Each structure stands twice: as C-alpha cells, then as structure tokens.
Amino acid sequence: MQRNKVHHVFTVERVARDLGVSEALIQDLTLGLEPEDGVIWVCGANDDDGILAFTDEGIEEVKLLLEEYHRVSPSKA
C-alpha cells in the first residue's frame, strides 16, 4: 500500500509572493494540473471553494510553467 508522504503545502498566495508573480497568473498556468502534479485544494470549515495549494513538487512544476510562460511571452510578468 502506497502512502502519501506530503507533510506540508504552500498556498497559492505564498507561492506567488515567493516567486514574485500574481496569484491569478499561477492559477491560470496551473488550471490543468492534477494532484499527481503536486496541486491540491485545501478546504476550511467556512470555505466552500477551498484554497489552491502546492506541495514541493507542485512548486517545481509552477516554476517550470513560469519559465515557459516567460519564454513564450517575455514582455508579460
């Protein structure tokens, strides 16, 4: 039986701040990602929609997507 080894995640707000980009950009770039890519939704008691969050692997995926985004659209931030 495989067990999940994730012990912490970072919110989209934190990842955006750390990478110096907007939350909206990260949300747009990661629309097609799945939990296997390191993306999860964290839901609180009073939160119907949840908060986008990333494992360490998910952050690496975001960095790759940002590199590609900046390569294709260098004038955008």
Side-chain angles (χ1 to χ4, degrees):
M1 171 192 255
Q2 182 179 2
R3 293 183 181 218
N4 190 339
K5 303 294 183 188
V6 174
H7 56 83
H8 65 273
V9 295
F10 295 91
T11 65
V12 65
E13 179 182 22
R14 168 75 182 268
V15 174
R17 185 196 72 193
D18 289 352
L19 297 178
V21 298
S22 72
E23 290 179 48
L25 177 57
I26 291 178
Q27 289 176 340
D28 288 345
L29 293 176
T30 60
L31 278 175
L33 297 184
E34 300 290 335
E36 296 81 17
D37 300 312
V39 177
I40 65 169
W41 287 91
V42 179
C43 301
N46 297 316
D47 189 4
D48 292 334
D49 295 328
I51 298 170
L52 182 62
F54 301 91
T55 64
D56 291 336
E57 292 80 13
I59 294 171
E60 292 305 315
E61 187 68 28
V62 170
K63 289 177 182 177
L64 292 173
L65 291 169
L66 282 170
E67 286 176 15
E68 179 67 13
Y69 174 79
H70 289 299
R71 187 182 69 72
V72 173
S73 306
S75 63
K76 297 181 180 179

